[in-house]
Amino acid sequence: MESFIYDHVRTPRGKGRADGSLHEVTPVWLARAPLVALRDRNALDTREVHDVIMGCVSPVGEQGGNIARMAVLNADYDQSVPGIQIERACGSGLEAVGFAAAKVMAGQADLTIGGGIEMMSRVAMGTAGGAWAQDPQMSAKTSFIMQGVSADLLASLHGYSRTDLDAYAAESHRRAAQSWAENRFARSIVPVTDFIGLTLLERDETIRPETSIATLAALKPAFAEMGQKYGYDAVALQRYPQLEKIDHTHHAGNSSGIVDGAAAVLVGNADAGKRLNLKPRARIRAFATIGSEPTVMLDGPSAAARRALQRAGMTASDIDLWELNEAFSSVVLCFMDAFNIPHDKINVNGGAIAMGHPLGASGAMILGTALDELERSGKSCALVSLCVAAGMGSAMIIERVE
């Protein structure tokens, strides 16, 4: 059975610190926003929604306890609508949409919502802990290193210079600023308000249009001390002995920003669309998730993309538009090289380096960005992918419905 995307919305992304515009709201309030928007703009009878699946990477404290179900209730959906929270690190938001689509494709749901939430200003990255970093047996077994050092390792393995990485980052900011100036995100952004209705944020908060290679050159490498002082460089070199040393080339300016944000995607079968007078915007052609080598960890998107293409019976030449989460500049450059993708076909509206990476929501956000761009440009197919911590990758292919 086919699965269609009927709509998607996202919040603006606010700085993930105490001075960020979204910091005063709770995670469940932020998660509520896209659900309310999907209901209201599609005149949904929420009793027709058979499940809500939300990614969340740090499901603890006020962001824990199955935040998806709490968001459903907070958004005043019918009490018959269930909710479930899933966690596949940075791929969680896209995985949530994939899980929602899979239920539809299996004939076990007619209409679902997939999305994600992360309030990084209130629940810090890494709060949930885990065996990979904290259990010495697991760390030793998998040659664990911190992800920023992995980004530097990836750049070292592929020979990307600091200038290569900074040039990509500066272009991300330029494209994001241009996209906002041209209102490319207007259809999909839902402003975040407080409980009395005052608007807190209506546009992405971390874009710096003035960013250039020269301004980025002044920033110090962010992960050099971590790699050298805490031994992660030595672990990486033991795993990859072909390298003489790790060149520490990533910093705050060419890495994804820490932000707050939420997103939701409305997915259903053809019968549900006809019954509820919903027009399909895209068909989900295929999706895939893979495991990759956990030390470098960030090169999984290309393998996930290849598997998704195989499942769809497609080749890279069939893809009109590529959207890859900008976890670090090296991740995108590596992916572009793997498929020989020209820069004018990938992340054409900027990405997480400029606008931020709200971990559990990013996959659903960039899926929506790709769909909007297909419609704006009149193109047909897009492939969306993310690197995932611990060595994984997620990908999804969508086809615009005209």
Side-chain angles (χ1 to χ4, degrees):
M1 183 177 295
E2 288 191 309
S3 183
F4 297 93
I5 295 175
Y6 286 104
D7 201 8
H8 76 89
V9 292
R10 73 167 177 92
T11 68
R13 287 170 269 204
K15 285 191 298 182
R17 294 193 288 269
D19 62 346
S21 296
L22 298 179
H23 176 67
E24 70 178 72
V25 302
T26 62
V28 73
W29 183 265
L30 187 64
R32 166 189 184 274
L35 297 182
V36 170
L38 279 185
R39 179 197 66 203
D40 292 351
R41 63 197 248 161
N42 293 286
L44 278 182
D45 178 350
T46 58
R47 291 174 296 182
E48 299 280 355
V49 178
H50 292 168
D51 207 353
V52 173
I53 304 165
M54 301 193 82
C56 181
V57 175
S58 294
V60 296
E62 61 181 6
Q63 202 164 259
N66 190 0
I67 193 169
R69 173 60 173 168
M70 294 301 101
V72 164
L73 296 174
N74 201 12
D76 297 317
Y77 276 44
D78 190 83
Q79 68 178 15
S80 65
V81 181
I84 184 172
Q85 171 270 324
I86 66 168
E87 198 270 288
R88 202 194 292 273
C90 300
S92 299
L94 190 64
E95 292 288 334
V97 178
F99 283 25
K103 295 189 77 168
V104 172
M105 291 172 168
Q108 300 305 303
D110 295 334
L111 194 70
T112 57
I113 294 173
I117 164 69
E118 206 76 36
M119 281 290 293
M120 301 180 77
S121 70
R122 296 174 69 105
V123 183
M125 180 168 53
T127 300
W132 191 36
Q134 297 181 357
D135 183 333
Q137 187 271 335
M138 278 305 303
S139 297
K141 184 180 180 69
T142 58
S143 298
F144 167 78
I145 62 176
M146 296 297 292
Q147 193 170 91
V149 180
S150 290
D152 290 339
L153 170 61
L154 186 67
S156 299
L157 286 168
H158 288 269
Y160 303 133
S161 69
R162 168 72 181 259
T163 301
D164 294 334
L165 304 180
D166 287 354
Y168 181 85
E171 180 64 7
S172 179
H173 281 278
R174 189 197 69 78
R175 292 183 180 192
Q178 179 181 353
S179 297
W180 270 104
E182 295 177 359
N183 294 317
R184 295 187 186 184
F185 302 127
R187 179 176 182 179
S188 303
I189 294 287
V190 50
V192 179
T193 61
D194 65 13
F195 73 98
I196 62 172
L198 294 177
T199 298
L200 300 175
L201 187 64
E202 54 188 0
R203 60 183 294 128
D204 296 316
E205 194 171 25
T206 60
I207 302 169
R208 300 185 302 279
E210 71 284 358
T211 299
S212 67
I213 297 175
T215 61
L216 293 176
L219 299 177
K220 294 181 179 179
F223 309 109
E225 182 179 3
M226 181 185 296
Q228 295 158 8
K229 183 176 180 180
Y230 296 102
Y232 293 123
D233 281 8
V235 174
L237 292 173
Q238 185 177 40
R239 181 67 182 82
Y240 291 93
Q242 66 268 40
L243 290 176
E244 181 181 350
K245 65 184 180 71
I246 306 298
D247 291 322
H248 290 285
T249 48
H250 286 88
H251 49 77
N254 58 28
S255 307
S256 54
I258 294 172
V259 293
D260 301 329
V265 181
L266 183 63
V267 177
N269 60 31
D271 289 341
K274 292 174 182 176
R275 185 171 68 251
L276 299 172
N277 197 31
L278 299 170
K279 183 180 184 302
R281 297 176 60 185
R283 176 183 293 104
I284 296 176
R285 290 286 303 268
F287 44 91
T289 305
I290 59 90
S292 62
E293 198 282 305
T295 302
V296 73
M297 104 176 62
L298 301 172
D299 61 352
S302 58
R306 289 190 183 96
R307 182 173 290 181
L309 287 166
Q310 183 180 30
R311 289 191 179 281
M314 302 171 72
T315 66
S317 63
D318 296 317
I319 301 300
D320 302 304
L321 183 72
W322 304 78
E323 194 75 28
L324 176 67
N325 188 44
E326 294 176 350
F328 302 92
S329 285
S330 61
V331 173
V332 189
L333 296 182
C334 181
F335 188 80
M336 291 168 67
D337 285 347
F339 291 101
N340 195 28
I341 303 169
H343 201 171
D344 61 0
K345 292 184 68 173
I346 187 167
N347 296 355
V348 300
N349 295 300
I353 288 173
M355 294 178 283
H357 175 21
L359 306 177
S362 292
M365 285 189 173
I366 65 173
L367 179 66
T369 298
L371 175 54
D372 285 347
E373 182 59 25
L374 285 180
E375 293 174 336
R376 188 191 72 84
S377 62
K379 294 177 180 176
S380 179
C381 287
L383 189 149
V384 178
S385 189
L386 303 94
C387 59
V388 180
M392 293 183 283
S394 297
M396 180 177 287
I397 299 171
I398 61 172
E399 180 182 22
R400 182 170 63 95
V401 176
E402 301 184 40

